[in-house]
Amino acid sequence: MRALTVTPGVKNSIRLDEIDTPTPSSSQALLRVQEIGICGTDLDINQGFYGEAPPGSNYLVTGHESLATVESILGNAHGISRGDLVVPTVRRPDSCMNCLNGESDMCLTGNYREHGIKRLHGFGSEFAVSDVQFLVKVPSKLSDVAVLLEPMSVAEKGVYQAFKIQERMLWKPKRVLILGAGPVGLLTTYLLRLKGLEVVVTATRAKDSA
Ligand SMILES: [Zn+2]
């Protein structure tokens, strides 16, 4: 199958490779990738700033934002079956207490793995595998925008955490300032507008950073 791969640590190494189609384990599903998103992390990986190949591999399949259909799966695991539209989450936990508590974003060791970034191949290929428990089933009517689920989860997490922290007191915000009008800034804007908040977004212009 075709795959977008890099040699981690080597600048501008991204290329279209021909590699073997992965074989899912009994706890994994084989995914037919429909779309991927490209973010700053992918650009940094291609700059050689970071990225780590899976053990035993000298390349890394890139791509962590994705939308896929389930090509094969054992039984009807976690309510997901063949043909379903899914988004696999990116991070796979280690055994620290936060990871064991389902909060791998708060991993205490840094020993987590991430598809397309750190020790797991990504989804920039015709087929990919993911543990079934980390697949998010997506309604087919959202197929046009569902590849944005991963960056949207970044926005959701940030907003959730902000409100969580402010539970220390009564807090009824009316206006929000968002610094940065990239995809995450804009998705966060939509989210906060849906909450009925007035949102101000600022961004630098090209000439500001020149
Ligand atoms: Zn952890």
Side-chain angles (χ1 to χ4, degrees), residues 7 18 22 37-38 52-53 56 73 75 83 112-113 124 141 147 180 187 203 209:
T7 303
E18 189 68 32
I38 295 173
E52 200 177 326
I73 191 168
Y112 55 80
R113 297 171 299 157
K141 66 180 178 184
V147 73
L187 288 169
S209 54

Side-chain angles (χ1 to χ4, degrees), residues 32 40 43 90 94-95 117 130 136 140 150 191 196 198 207:
R32 180 187 290 270
L43 302 181
V90 178
D94 66 359
S95 54
I117 301 172
S130 167
V136 179
S140 56
E150 194 278 343
L191 185 59
E198 182 187 336
K207 68 177 183 180

Side-chain angles (χ1 to χ4, degrees), residues 31-88:
L31 307 176
R32 180 187 290 270
V33 179
Q34 303 292 340
E35 296 176 3
I36 58 168
I38 295 173
C39 82
T41 300
D42 299 300
L43 302 181
D44 285 349
I45 288 172
N46 191 44
Q47 286 295 306
F49 294 149
Y50 54 91
E52 200 177 326
S57 173
N58 55 11
Y59 64 87
L60 172 71
V61 177
T62 60
H64 57 281
E65 298 178 11
S66 70
L67 176 65
T69 50
V70 176
E71 183 75 7
S72 71
I73 191 168
L74 277 180
N76 187 323
H78 295 266
I80 292 171
S81 47
R82 186 172 189 277
D84 280 347
L85 197 61
V86 294
V87 173

